[in-house]
């Protein structure tokens, strides 16, 4: 699938931009309802990591053939993304926003504590692999693990109410 890389990367960019718009809208609504943001200090690291990942994919992967098997895994992951977004609805955001309401325990949250992070971990590895870039998959998987260690610790602390 030689000409598919621009389509895959274009989809990824449009998807991420749409998610940022949705997240910004949801964050504003949650804050209006009395929610509060917790531990915003690491958020620029997340933005930097994801921006660098996409830029690196564009630089090294724009003209690479797309491996159909990895593309199929990526497509399957999009089903998980839709399930997560549908389950969280207006509570989905890219920041740690705590609302005085019960935690969501439906959908993928019945099976995974942090399904969105599981999805992102998988995508950060799968997209470069789909483009034949295993070293980029490894590098950004390691960087993402470091950022997620900070993020998940902060989120768990916030959800326990001990921020």
């Amino acid at each position: 699938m030689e000409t598919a890389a621009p389509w895959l990367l274009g989809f990824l960019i449009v998807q991420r931009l749409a998610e940022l718009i949705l997240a910004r809208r949801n964050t504003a609504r949650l804050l209006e309802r009395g929610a509060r943001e917790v531990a915003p200090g690491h958020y620029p690291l997340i933005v930097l990591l994801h921006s660098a990942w996409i830029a690196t994919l564009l630089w090294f992967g724009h003209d690479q053939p797309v491996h159909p098997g990895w593309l199929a895994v990526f497509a399957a992951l999009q089903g998980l993304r839709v399930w997560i977004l549908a389950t969280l609805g207006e509570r989905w955001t890219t920041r740690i926003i705590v609302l005085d309401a019960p935690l969501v325990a439906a959908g993928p949250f019945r099976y995974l504590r942090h399904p969105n992070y599981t999805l992102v971990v998988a995508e950060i590895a799968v997209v470069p692999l789909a483009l034949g870039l295993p070293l980029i998959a490894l590098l950004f998987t390691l960087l993402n693990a470091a950022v997620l260690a900070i993020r998940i610790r902060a989120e768990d602390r916030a959800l326990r109410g001990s921020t």
Side-chain angles (χ1 to χ4, degrees):
M1 300 181 80
E2 265 183 64
T3 61
W7 290 103
L8 173 59
L9 294 170
F11 173 82
L12 189 67
I13 291 167
V14 169
Q15 179 186 64
R16 292 308 197 262
L17 290 174
E19 285 181 348
L20 287 174
I21 293 167
L22 176 64
R24 187 171 280 175
R25 186 190 77 200
N26 287 348
T27 296
R29 287 180 178 171
L30 287 166
L31 294 175
E32 287 171 5
R33 290 175 48 197
R36 70 188 193 295
E37 182 174 5
V38 177
H42 72 278
Y43 188 72
L45 280 175
I46 292 173
V47 172
L48 177 63
L49 174 76
H50 286 261
S51 298
W53 177 67
I54 289 172
T56 303
L57 291 173
L58 287 168
W59 183 264
F60 292 105
H62 68 91
D63 60 352
Q64 295 297 310
V66 175
H67 299 273
W70 287 115
L71 183 60
V73 172
F74 177 75
L77 289 172
Q78 300 321 295
L80 178 57
R81 177 178 302 286
V82 169
W83 194 20
I84 291 165
L85 289 170
T87 301
L88 287 177
E90 289 185 351
R91 290 176 71 172
W92 184 88
T93 182
T94 56
R95 296 178 175 270
I96 301 173
I97 306 295
V98 178
L99 182 66
D100 187 22
L103 292 178
V104 173
F109 294 87
R110 283 181 287 189
Y111 309 106
L112 297 168
R113 180 154 172 81
H114 295 287
N116 199 63
Y117 301 145
T118 303
L119 169 68
V120 171
V121 165
E123 284 181 332
I124 283 180
V126 167
V127 175
L129 292 172
L131 297 169
L133 304 169
L135 292 178
I136 291 171
L138 176 62
L139 172 65
F140 280 93
T141 294
L142 294 173
L143 292 171
N144 187 49
V147 172
L148 280 181
I150 297 165
R151 171 70 174 221
I152 291 172
R153 205 171 18 246
E155 186 170 314
D156 285 347
R157 207 170 28 249
L159 294 176
R160 282 192 312 267
S162 61
T163 57

